[in-house]
Amino acid sequence: MSSIAARELRNHTADVIERARKGEEITITVNGVPSARLTALPAAKKAYLTKAEFLALRPKTSDLTLARDIAALTGHTTDDLGPIL
């Protein structure tokens, strides 16, 4: 962790922020006294997932026999239910 005077921060703001963005923790001093710490923000979370990412989050069926039994019981259509009013 490095430290810089407030005056240096004022004179070289963009450079100091870039250093912090790259992961450096910088202590800012006023009259030689540590007064603040400048660090990078955590990475922002994405607002959406791709289809592949979403599917990867789904829980996997732990019992393959149960999955086959459910598929056999439910069938693949609802034709036998007749029209829905």
Side-chain angles (χ1 to χ4, degrees):
M1 180 166 52
S2 61
S3 64
I4 62 168
R7 177 178 293 164
E8 183 181 347
L9 174 61
R10 183 188 67 215
N11 294 337
H12 304 285
T13 304
D15 295 332
V16 175
I17 290 174
E18 183 62 20
R19 286 170 42 195
R21 192 184 68 76
K22 290 180 178 177
E24 184 178 345
E25 280 193 13
I26 302 167
T27 300
I28 301 162
T29 62
V30 176
N31 296 326
V33 177
S35 300
R37 182 174 299 134
L38 183 62
T39 62
L41 292 173
K45 292 183 179 180
K46 289 177 18 177
Y48 63 90
L49 296 175
T50 65
K51 182 178 179 181
E53 290 168 334
F54 176 74
L55 292 175
L57 293 175
R58 291 186 327 181
K60 307 292 187 259
T61 303
S62 58
D63 185 351
L64 293 177
T65 304
L66 175 62
R68 277 184 286 224
D69 290 346
I70 291 172
L73 290 171
T74 58
H76 297 291
T77 68
T78 57
D79 293 342
D80 60 324
L81 297 177
I84 297 176
L85 303 176

